[in-house]
Amino acid sequence: MSGNKGNQPKTEQDLNEQQQIRREKLAALRKAGKDPFVITTWPRDHYAKAIKENFETLEDKEVCIAGRMMSRRVMGKASFLDVEDTSGRIQVYFRIDEVGEETYKEFKAYWDVGDIIGLKGKVFRTKRGEISVRATEAKLLSKSLLPLPEKFHGLTNTDTRYRQRYLDLIVNPEVKDTFVKRSHIITEIRRFLDGQAFLEVETPVLHTIAGGAAARPFVTHHNTLDMDLYLRIALELYLKRLIVGGFDKVYEIGRVFRNEGMDTKHNPEFTELELYQAYTDINGMIDLTENLIRTVAKNVLGTTKVTVRGVDIDFAQPFARITMKDAVKTYAGVDFDEIKSLDEARALAQEHHLEVKDRYKMGDIMSLFFDEYCEDKLVQPTFLLNHPTDISPLAKKCPNDPRYTERFELFICGTEHANAFSELNDPIDQRERFEAQAAAKAAGDDEACDVDEDFLTALEYGMPPTGGLGIGVDRLVMTLTGADSIRDVLLFPTMKPKE
């Protein structure tokens, strides 16, 4: 087998020597008129997985495959290779009297693990029972000038895995499986919503006003217009304009950007699903959310049961429900119905060592208690209901208690996965909420939104009763694939450049 002797990891000197050797091999190939980089195509007609799955019909039939050589075992005039394509790996039997003396010599002298090769040959089963391809023709299609990580050590450094995802995908097959599932999850979301007569749309990524969520935006500048613009922090306000315009059901799956902290649940850019449906409310969004997640899990995973950080979850079971007020009472021992003034709430928060800023209102303080004492307690899928109006500027107030709104967040294993409202469609109330947000921003809240005059104008033309829902796609993928970090489900997570 090519590579180092034993199982010791390569040193920097080893790597430099191997790189030089590989470049010399490429130079020799070019000198002989066999530059692999001039080849533009290869007539591949089969993949590794399909060959194995259809062995009975393909046995002794010729196939044409291509992929990366992941190992080679040279044994005189015959060798075995492992070739990996996008579907998996398959063994290749490589014999001098079948591929020809010239090709076999070239293989032994100039081909390395990591090279991209094309092969033709017949499907057979070895004496040990392994389905393989007996090569009759082979060609080097691309030369790998850098050696892959050692077989026995692999690519385990997470920083390197995230920075060089292409290498991670080559040497860690389970990583590729995660991203295949991610693609299938998004496809299934679309299939579900399209089946419910939702219309997929696209809205601007560059906004003149940062709105639709409580978040700090990224700011950029448009030279021609000589004005600052914001990368969108949410999809909400443009989608609701479409409801005003007469579309009854719309959705968008797209990137949003928030200039905030990074951890296992947060990346500066992430994928969000937002949808809006006319003539329904928070109850319609609850039903839709349960059915969507249940359907996606069943159709992608083949089951509604998953294990998340050691906890068994069954999405077939009805999701639990609790109000924020009751959650705080249950888990923090604080009853906000008994708190009569903002000063009393502030004092109570300070007793519990919660940081209260001068601009905080009663609802902000309740939210602090929830974040500190309750969030991690919502393990099984749970709808957290009736958020305070102070922290919900785009949701309708509860008719029986205007301190709270018809809003929910869905929590699974202590992590928020979805956010939904009975959408506020009263333009007068909406203006008051926007102005309160603008005042909070002036007081130092850089996550508060501005007054969006065009959106208010749209509401004044009339928006029907509407339910809206946002789902963090990355977090849903984490839950359905068992990933521990959002970086494990983003192909190219945001990373600080190496110095």
Side-chain angles (χ1 to χ4, degrees), residues 32 112 121 160 197 264 315 349 426 447 478:
D112 291 295
T160 304
T264 57
F315 292 116
D426 178 346
E447 293 187 351
M478 286 174 62

Side-chain angles (χ1 to χ4, degrees), residues 460-477:
E460 288 181 353
Y461 280 103
M463 185 174 83
T466 298
L469 167 67
I471 292 179
V473 173
D474 309 299
R475 291 185 181 178
L476 180 60
V477 174

